[in-house]
Amino acid sequence: AQRVTQPEKLLSVFKGAPVELKCNYSYSGSPELFWYVQYSRQRLQLLLRHISRESIKGFTADLNKGETSFHLKKPFAQEEDSAMYYCALSGCDYKLSFGAGTTVTVRA
Amino acid sequence: EPEVTQTPSHQVTQMGQEVILRCVPISNHLYFYWYRQILGQKVEFLVSFYNNEISEKSEIFDDQFSVERPDGSNFTLKIRSTKLEDSAMYFCASSDPPPGQGFAETQYFGPGTRLLVL
């Protein structure tokens, strides 16, 4: 079975402060991990995936297989980062298993 | 940039009625998916579809549900006899090319159809 846990439902930070969204997973094989973002009134869209090792909009995420984590980080949050963030896992069957999501609010 | 589209954006129906949710995946994509999100809950996988057949389905996807690719562009989800608990946001997604390359391709999501069963 595959499971994704995002322990924080809500996260509020000030503009310019660092932000970290936690994601832990459970999967017996080698998973693919993703972060999807949903801005207000917009569709789910891919933010980044661990295999590409990119930094998108200043966000990074490192897959830690020992801790089974894929935390999302940004050193300096911006107001436009306010959104719902979902961590997701894909196993050998390619379906996505999502975490419950974290709502991030960046205050001025 | 091509996008997945879904119609209608909202659907209200009476319990026991049939509904068909429509999706137009990105044109060169070959794998299609339906997910749903009940209000306040996580996004859940329903079904994946490739080469005109279901590849994978979840426990949620029981006999009340069916999917179809009636032509070269549309991908539909039918709920035969809706129940109150089917009220949710339904998302269609597509990916390119078919999996089997050793890693999952990015899934692109539609804007969703909000279904309300009364």
Side-chain angles (χ1 to χ4, degrees), chain A residues 1 5-7 9-10 22 25 27 41 43 59 61 63 69-71 73 77-78 84 87 91 94 96 104 106 108:
Chain A
T5 303
Q6 292 179 251
K9 272 196 158 178
L10 301 168
K22 291 187 168 38
Y25 67 89
Y27 184 66
R41 301 183 189 281
R43 65 187 67 205
F59 285 96
L63 179 61
S69 67
F70 188 57
H71 303 327
K73 300 176 187 178
Q78 302 300 313
M84 185 76 154
C87 183
Y94 304 109
L96 287 172
V104 172
V106 181

PDB file of all heavy atoms in Angstrom, chain A residues 1 5-7 9-10 22 25 27 41 43 59 61 63 69-71 73 77-78 84 87 91 94 96 104 106 108:
ATOM      1  N   ALA A   1       0.850  -1.194   0.000  1.00  0.00           N
ATOM      2  CA  ALA A   1       0.000   0.000   0.000  1.00  0.00           C
ATOM      3  C   ALA A   1       0.886   1.244   0.000  1.00  0.00           C
ATOM      4  O   ALA A   1       1.996   1.224   0.510  1.00  0.00           O
ATOM      5  CB  ALA A   1      -0.897  -0.006   1.230  1.00  0.00           C
ATOM      6  N   THR A   5       1.616  11.363   3.852  1.00  0.00           N
ATOM      7  CA  THR A   5       1.153  12.106   5.014  1.00  0.00           C
ATOM      8  C   THR A   5       1.702  13.525   4.984  1.00  0.00           C
ATOM      9  O   THR A   5       2.912  13.735   4.864  1.00  0.00           O
ATOM     10  CB  THR A   5       1.625  11.419   6.316  1.00  0.00           C
ATOM     11  OG1 THR A   5       1.151  10.072   6.323  1.00  0.00           O
ATOM     12  CG2 THR A   5       1.067  12.141   7.527  1.00  0.00           C
ATOM     13  N   GLN A   6       0.802  14.472   5.077  1.00  0.00           N
ATOM     14  CA  GLN A   6       1.187  15.870   5.241  1.00  0.00           C
ATOM     15  C   GLN A   6       0.628  16.295   6.591  1.00  0.00           C
ATOM     16  O   GLN A   6      -0.579  16.491   6.726  1.00  0.00           O
ATOM     17  CB  GLN A   6       0.604  16.737   4.122  1.00  0.00           C
ATOM     18  CG  GLN A   6       1.207  16.444   2.760  1.00  0.00           C
ATOM     19  CD  GLN A   6       0.580  17.301   1.676  1.00  0.00           C
ATOM     20  OE1 GLN A   6      -0.170  16.807   0.839  1.00  0.00           O
ATOM     21  NE2 GLN A   6       0.903  18.577   1.677  1.00  0.00           N
ATOM     22  N   PRO A   7       1.479  16.420   7.585  1.00  0.00           N
ATOM     23  CA  PRO A   7       0.981  16.625   8.945  1.00  0.00           C
ATOM     24  C   PRO A   7       0.359  17.992   9.199  1.00  0.00           C
ATOM     25  O   PRO A   7      -0.435  18.142  10.117  1.00  0.00           O
ATOM     26  CB  PRO A   7       2.230  16.433   9.809  1.00  0.00           C
ATOM     27  CG  PRO A   7       3.370  16.720   8.887  1.00  0.00           C
ATOM     28  CD  PRO A   7       2.925  16.293   7.526  1.00  0.00           C
ATOM     29  N   LYS A   9      -2.097  20.970   8.243  1.00  0.00           N
ATOM     30  CA  LYS A   9      -3.214  21.374   7.372  1.00  0.00           C
ATOM     31  C   LYS A   9      -3.058  22.824   6.963  1.00  0.00           C
ATOM     32  O   LYS A   9      -3.405  23.215   5.856  1.00  0.00           O
ATOM     33  CB  LYS A   9      -4.538  21.223   8.134  1.00  0.00           C
ATOM     34  CG  LYS A   9      -5.174  19.872   8.054  1.00  0.00           C
ATOM     35  CD  LYS A   9      -6.632  19.935   8.485  1.00  0.00           C
ATOM     36  CE  LYS A   9      -7.407  18.771   7.926  1.00  0.00           C
ATOM     37  NZ  LYS A   9      -8.800  18.776   8.349  1.00  0.00           N
ATOM     38  N   LEU A  10      -2.581  23.623   7.894  1.00  0.00           N
ATOM     39  CA  LEU A  10      -2.456  25.060   7.658  1.00  0.00           C
ATOM     40  C   LEU A  10      -1.048  25.514   8.035  1.00  0.00           C
ATOM     41  O   LEU A  10      -0.501  25.056   9.040  1.00  0.00           O
ATOM     42  CB  LEU A  10      -3.471  25.839   8.500  1.00  0.00           C
ATOM     43  CG  LEU A  10      -4.946  25.525   8.289  1.00  0.00           C
ATOM     44  CD1 LEU A  10      -5.783  26.163   9.397  1.00  0.00           C
ATOM     45  CD2 LEU A  10      -5.409  26.035   6.932  1.00  0.00           C
ATOM     46  N   LYS A  22       5.968  19.760   5.219  1.00  0.00           N
ATOM     47  CA  LYS A  22       6.430  18.404   5.454  1.00  0.00           C
ATOM     48  C   LYS A  22       5.606  17.378   4.683  1.00  0.00           C
ATOM     49  O   LYS A  22       4.395  17.526   4.508  1.00  0.00           O
ATOM     50  CB  LYS A  22       6.381  18.097   6.952  1.00  0.00           C
ATOM     51  CG  LYS A  22       7.417  18.876   7.749  1.00  0.00           C
ATOM     52  CD  LYS A  22       7.471  18.431   9.173  1.00  0.00           C
ATOM     53  CE  LYS A  22       8.676  18.987   9.915  1.00  0.00           C
ATOM     54  NZ  LYS A  22       9.045  20.354   9.590  1.00  0.00           N
ATOM     55  N   TYR A  25       6.132   9.620   3.394  1.00  0.00           N
ATOM     56  CA  TYR A  25       5.447   8.631   2.576  1.00  0.00           C
ATOM     57  C   TYR A  25       5.727   7.228   3.071  1.00  0.00           C
ATOM     58  O   TYR A  25       6.680   6.983   3.807  1.00  0.00           O
ATOM     59  CB  TYR A  25       5.851   8.774   1.106  1.00  0.00           C
ATOM     60  CG  TYR A  25       7.297   8.426   0.833  1.00  0.00           C
ATOM     61  CD1 TYR A  25       7.677   7.131   0.520  1.00  0.00           C
ATOM     62  CD2 TYR A  25       8.289   9.404   0.885  1.00  0.00           C
ATOM     63  CE1 TYR A  25       8.995   6.805   0.274  1.00  0.00           C
ATOM     64  CE2 TYR A  25       9.616   9.080   0.643  1.00  0.00           C
ATOM     65  CZ  TYR A  25       9.963   7.788   0.345  1.00  0.00           C
ATOM     66  OH  TYR A  25      11.277   7.474   0.102  1.00  0.00           O
ATOM     67  N   TYR A  27       5.899   3.454   1.199  1.00  0.00           N
ATOM     68  CA  TYR A  27       5.826   2.674  -0.052  1.00  0.00           C
ATOM     69  C   TYR A  27       6.942   1.660  -0.046  1.00  0.00           C
ATOM     70  O   TYR A  27       8.078   1.990   0.272  1.00  0.00           O
ATOM     71  CB  TYR A  27       5.933   3.604  -1.264  1.00  0.00           C
ATOM     72  CG  TYR A  27       5.769   2.897  -2.588  1.00  0.00           C
ATOM     73  CD1 TYR A  27       4.547   2.322  -2.942  1.00  0.00           C
ATOM     74  CD2 TYR A  27       6.828   2.787  -3.478  1.00  0.00           C
ATOM     75  CE1 TYR A  27       4.395   1.657  -4.149  1.00  0.00           C
ATOM     76  CE2 TYR A  27       6.682   2.132  -4.686  1.00  0.00           C
ATOM     77  CZ  TYR A  27       5.470   1.573  -5.026  1.00  0.00           C
ATOM     78  OH  TYR A  27       5.318   0.922  -6.213  1.00  0.00           O
ATOM     79  N   ARG A  41      -8.771  29.193  -7.149  1.00  0.00           N
ATOM     80  CA  ARG A  41      -9.606  29.112  -8.353  1.00  0.00           C
ATOM     81  C   ARG A  41      -8.848  28.594  -9.574  1.00  0.00           C
ATOM     82  O   ARG A  41      -9.270  28.825 -10.713  1.00  0.00           O
ATOM     83  CB  ARG A  41     -10.245  30.464  -8.684  1.00  0.00           C
ATOM     84  CG  ARG A  41     -11.115  31.020  -7.589  1.00  0.00           C
ATOM     85  CD  ARG A  41     -11.762  32.322  -8.022  1.00  0.00           C
ATOM     86  NE  ARG A  41     -12.429  32.987  -6.918  1.00  0.00           N
ATOM     87  CZ  ARG A  41     -13.607  32.657  -6.440  1.00  0.00           C
ATOM     88  NH1 ARG A  41     -14.279  31.663  -6.959  1.00  0.00           N
ATOM     89  NH2 ARG A  41     -14.137  33.322  -5.433  1.00  0.00           N
ATOM     90  N   ARG A  43      -6.442  25.193 -11.362  1.00  0.00           N
ATOM     91  CA  ARG A  43      -6.330  23.750 -11.347  1.00  0.00           C
ATOM     92  C   ARG A  43      -5.074  23.291 -10.613  1.00  0.00           C
ATOM     93  O   ARG A  43      -4.150  24.072 -10.395  1.00  0.00           O
ATOM     94  CB  ARG A  43      -6.290  23.218 -12.787  1.00  0.00           C
ATOM     95  CG  ARG A  43      -5.051  23.659 -13.572  1.00  0.00           C
ATOM     96  CD  ARG A  43      -5.155  23.237 -15.043  1.00  0.00           C
ATOM     97  NE  ARG A  43      -6.217  23.945 -15.716  1.00  0.00           N
ATOM     98  CZ  ARG A  43      -6.844  23.480 -16.789  1.00  0.00           C
ATOM     99  NH1 ARG A  43      -6.513  22.309 -17.294  1.00  0.00           N
ATOM    100  NH2 ARG A  43      -7.798  24.173 -17.349  1.00  0.00           N
ATOM    101  N   PHE A  59      11.304  27.014  -4.960  1.00  0.00           N
ATOM    102  CA  PHE A  59      11.038  25.852  -4.120  1.00  0.00           C
ATOM    103  C   PHE A  59      11.988  24.711  -4.466  1.00  0.00           C
ATOM    104  O   PHE A  59      12.321  24.505  -5.632  1.00  0.00           O
ATOM    105  CB  PHE A  59       9.603  25.343  -4.305  1.00  0.00           C
ATOM    106  CG  PHE A  59       8.555  26.172  -3.652  1.00  0.00           C
ATOM    107  CD1 PHE A  59       7.866  27.141  -4.372  1.00  0.00           C
ATOM    108  CD2 PHE A  59       8.241  25.989  -2.315  1.00  0.00           C
ATOM    109  CE1 PHE A  59       6.885  27.903  -3.773  1.00  0.00           C
ATOM    110  CE2 PHE A  59       7.258  26.750  -1.700  1.00  0.00           C
ATOM    111  CZ  PHE A  59       6.585  27.706  -2.432  1.00  0.00           C
ATOM    112  N   ALA A  61      12.855  20.453  -3.145  1.00  0.00           N
ATOM    113  CA  ALA A  61      12.444  19.320  -2.308  1.00  0.00           C
ATOM    114  C   ALA A  61      13.453  18.205  -2.521  1.00  0.00           C
ATOM    115  O   ALA A  61      13.817  17.905  -3.655  1.00  0.00           O
ATOM    116  CB  ALA A  61      11.040  18.850  -2.668  1.00  0.00           C
ATOM    117  N   LEU A  63      14.398  14.216  -1.807  1.00  0.00           N
ATOM    118  CA  LEU A  63      13.881  12.910  -1.395  1.00  0.00           C
ATOM    119  C   LEU A  63      14.861  12.282  -0.417  1.00  0.00           C
ATOM    120  O   LEU A  63      16.030  12.081  -0.745  1.00  0.00           O
ATOM    121  CB  LEU A  63      13.705  12.007  -2.619  1.00  0.00           C
ATOM    122  CG  LEU A  63      13.189  10.597  -2.350  1.00  0.00           C
ATOM    123  CD1 LEU A  63      11.817  10.639  -1.707  1.00  0.00           C
ATOM    124  CD2 LEU A  63      13.145   9.784  -3.642  1.00  0.00           C
ATOM    125  N   SER A  69      10.917  10.864   3.427  1.00  0.00           N
ATOM    126  CA  SER A  69      10.353  12.205   3.419  1.00  0.00           C
ATOM    127  C   SER A  69      10.665  12.907   2.105  1.00  0.00           C
ATOM    128  O   SER A  69      11.616  12.552   1.392  1.00  0.00           O
ATOM    129  CB  SER A  69      10.898  13.023   4.594  1.00  0.00           C
ATOM    130  OG  SER A  69      12.280  13.274   4.421  1.00  0.00           O
ATOM    131  N   PHE A  70       9.846  13.906   1.821  1.00  0.00           N
ATOM    132  CA  PHE A  70      10.023  14.723   0.611  1.00  0.00           C
ATOM    133  C   PHE A  70       9.512  16.119   0.949  1.00  0.00           C
ATOM    134  O   PHE A  70       8.527  16.601   0.434  1.00  0.00           O
ATOM    135  CB  PHE A  70       9.260  14.092  -0.555  1.00  0.00           C
ATOM    136  CG  PHE A  70       9.524  14.732  -1.900  1.00  0.00           C
ATOM    137  CD1 PHE A  70      10.810  14.830  -2.409  1.00  0.00           C
ATOM    138  CD2 PHE A  70       8.474  15.202  -2.677  1.00  0.00           C
ATOM    139  CE1 PHE A  70      11.049  15.406  -3.641  1.00  0.00           C
ATOM    140  CE2 PHE A  70       8.700  15.771  -3.924  1.00  0.00           C
ATOM    141  CZ  PHE A  70       9.984  15.874  -4.397  1.00  0.00           C
ATOM    142  N   HIS A  71      10.187  16.762   1.870  1.00  0.00           N
ATOM    143  CA  HIS A  71       9.741  18.061   2.356  1.00  0.00           C
ATOM    144  C   HIS A  71      10.010  19.151   1.327  1.00  0.00           C
ATOM    145  O   HIS A  71      11.053  19.167   0.663  1.00  0.00           O
ATOM    146  CB  HIS A  71      10.451  18.421   3.664  1.00  0.00           C
ATOM    147  CG  HIS A  71      10.265  17.401   4.755  1.00  0.00           C
ATOM    148  ND1 HIS A  71       9.117  16.654   4.902  1.00  0.00           N
ATOM    149  CD2 HIS A  71      11.105  17.010   5.762  1.00  0.00           C
ATOM    150  CE1 HIS A  71       9.239  15.854   5.939  1.00  0.00           C
ATOM    151  NE2 HIS A  71      10.434  16.033   6.472  1.00  0.00           N
ATOM    152  N   LYS A  73      10.632  23.124   0.462  1.00  0.00           N
ATOM    153  CA  LYS A  73      11.219  24.277   1.161  1.00  0.00           C
ATOM    154  C   LYS A  73      11.365  25.464   0.220  1.00  0.00           C
ATOM    155  O   LYS A  73      11.586  25.300  -0.983  1.00  0.00           O
ATOM    156  CB  LYS A  73      12.622  23.920   1.694  1.00  0.00           C
ATOM    157  CG  LYS A  73      12.648  22.781   2.663  1.00  0.00           C
ATOM    158  CD  LYS A  73      14.070  22.435   3.054  1.00  0.00           C
ATOM    159  CE  LYS A  73      14.101  21.175   3.892  1.00  0.00           C
ATOM    160  NZ  LYS A  73      15.457  20.764   4.253  1.00  0.00           N
ATOM    161  N   ALA A  77       9.582  33.237   1.497  1.00  0.00           N
ATOM    162  CA  ALA A  77       8.215  33.119   0.972  1.00  0.00           C
ATOM    163  C   ALA A  77       7.726  34.455   0.402  1.00  0.00           C
ATOM    164  O   ALA A  77       8.061  35.528   0.917  1.00  0.00           O
ATOM    165  CB  ALA A  77       7.282  32.657   2.084  1.00  0.00           C
ATOM    166  N   GLN A  78       6.951  34.346  -0.662  1.00  0.00           N
ATOM    167  CA  GLN A  78       6.326  35.504  -1.297  1.00  0.00           C
ATOM    168  C   GLN A  78       4.814  35.394  -1.159  1.00  0.00           C
ATOM    169  O   GLN A  78       4.274  34.291  -1.026  1.00  0.00           O
ATOM    170  CB  GLN A  78       6.717  35.574  -2.770  1.00  0.00           C
ATOM    171  CG  GLN A  78       8.219  35.641  -3.017  1.00  0.00           C
ATOM    172  CD  GLN A  78       8.861  36.855  -2.388  1.00  0.00           C
ATOM    173  OE1 GLN A  78       8.349  37.972  -2.519  1.00  0.00           O
ATOM    174  NE2 GLN A  78       9.957  36.659  -1.677  1.00  0.00           N
ATOM    175  N   MET A  84      -2.710  26.025  -1.971  1.00  0.00           N
ATOM    176  CA  MET A  84      -2.804  24.698  -1.378  1.00  0.00           C
ATOM    177  C   MET A  84      -1.725  23.838  -2.015  1.00  0.00           C
ATOM    178  O   MET A  84      -1.593  23.823  -3.248  1.00  0.00           O
ATOM    179  CB  MET A  84      -4.188  24.111  -1.686  1.00  0.00           C
ATOM    180  CG  MET A  84      -4.464  22.788  -1.043  1.00  0.00           C
ATOM    181  SD  MET A  84      -4.838  22.979   0.707  1.00  0.00           S
ATOM    182  CE  MET A  84      -5.837  21.534   0.996  1.00  0.00           C
ATOM    183  N   CYS A  87       1.449  16.948  -1.649  1.00  0.00           N
ATOM    184  CA  CYS A  87       2.519  16.005  -1.924  1.00  0.00           C
ATOM    185  C   CYS A  87       1.871  14.751  -2.505  1.00  0.00           C
ATOM    186  O   CYS A  87       0.766  14.356  -2.082  1.00  0.00           O
ATOM    187  CB  CYS A  87       3.241  15.674  -0.614  1.00  0.00           C
ATOM    188  SG  CYS A  87       4.646  14.570  -0.791  1.00  0.00           S
ATOM    189  N   GLY A  91       3.668   5.016  -7.667  1.00  0.00           N
ATOM    190  CA  GLY A  91       4.398   3.756  -7.604  1.00  0.00           C
ATOM    191  C   GLY A  91       4.452   3.088  -8.959  1.00  0.00           C
ATOM    192  O   GLY A  91       4.325   3.732  -9.994  1.00  0.00           O
ATOM    193  N   TYR A  94       1.609   3.799 -11.432  1.00  0.00           N
ATOM    194  CA  TYR A  94       1.550   5.155 -11.970  1.00  0.00           C
ATOM    195  C   TYR A  94       0.388   5.990 -11.479  1.00  0.00           C
ATOM    196  O   TYR A  94       0.308   7.162 -11.806  1.00  0.00           O
ATOM    197  CB  TYR A  94       1.576   5.155 -13.506  1.00  0.00           C
ATOM    198  CG  TYR A  94       2.791   4.421 -14.026  1.00  0.00           C
ATOM    199  CD1 TYR A  94       2.654   3.182 -14.642  1.00  0.00           C
ATOM    200  CD2 TYR A  94       4.060   4.948 -13.865  1.00  0.00           C
ATOM    201  CE1 TYR A  94       3.772   2.498 -15.092  1.00  0.00           C
ATOM    202  CE2 TYR A  94       5.180   4.264 -14.313  1.00  0.00           C
ATOM    203  CZ  TYR A  94       5.025   3.046 -14.925  1.00  0.00           C
ATOM    204  OH  TYR A  94       6.125   2.359 -15.356  1.00  0.00           O
ATOM    205  N   LEU A  96      -1.505   8.323  -8.853  1.00  0.00           N
ATOM    206  CA  LEU A  96      -1.005   9.238  -7.837  1.00  0.00           C
ATOM    207  C   LEU A  96      -1.768   9.050  -6.531  1.00  0.00           C
ATOM    208  O   LEU A  96      -2.995   8.999  -6.532  1.00  0.00           O
ATOM    209  CB  LEU A  96      -1.156  10.686  -8.301  1.00  0.00           C
ATOM    210  CG  LEU A  96      -0.192  11.163  -9.384  1.00  0.00           C
ATOM    211  CD1 LEU A  96      -0.604  12.546  -9.878  1.00  0.00           C
ATOM    212  CD2 LEU A  96       1.237  11.185  -8.879  1.00  0.00           C
ATOM    213  N   VAL A 104      -1.127  27.096   2.553  1.00  0.00           N
ATOM    214  CA  VAL A 104      -0.095  28.059   2.946  1.00  0.00           C
ATOM    215  C   VAL A 104      -0.626  29.470   2.755  1.00  0.00           C
ATOM    216  O   VAL A 104      -1.150  29.807   1.691  1.00  0.00           O
ATOM    217  CB  VAL A 104       1.185  27.861   2.109  1.00  0.00           C
ATOM    218  CG1 VAL A 104       2.184  28.982   2.380  1.00  0.00           C
ATOM    219  CG2 VAL A 104       1.798  26.506   2.400  1.00  0.00           C
ATOM    220  N   VAL A 106       0.744  33.343   3.079  1.00  0.00           N
ATOM    221  CA  VAL A 106       1.906  34.208   3.274  1.00  0.00           C
ATOM    222  C   VAL A 106       1.390  35.611   3.557  1.00  0.00           C
ATOM    223  O   VAL A 106       0.696  36.211   2.729  1.00  0.00           O
ATOM    224  CB  VAL A 106       2.831  34.210   2.044  1.00  0.00           C
ATOM    225  CG1 VAL A 106       4.042  35.098   2.296  1.00  0.00           C
ATOM    226  CG2 VAL A 106       3.265  32.784   1.707  1.00  0.00           C
ATOM    227  N   ALA A 108       1.738  39.660   4.534  1.00  0.00           N
ATOM    228  CA  ALA A 108       2.643  40.777   4.233  1.00  0.00           C
ATOM    229  C   ALA A 108       3.314  41.310   5.492  1.00  0.00           C
ATOM    230  O   ALA A 108       2.793  41.167   6.586  1.00  0.00           O
ATOM    231  CB  ALA A 108       1.870  41.893   3.553  1.00  0.00           C
TER     232      ALA A 108
END
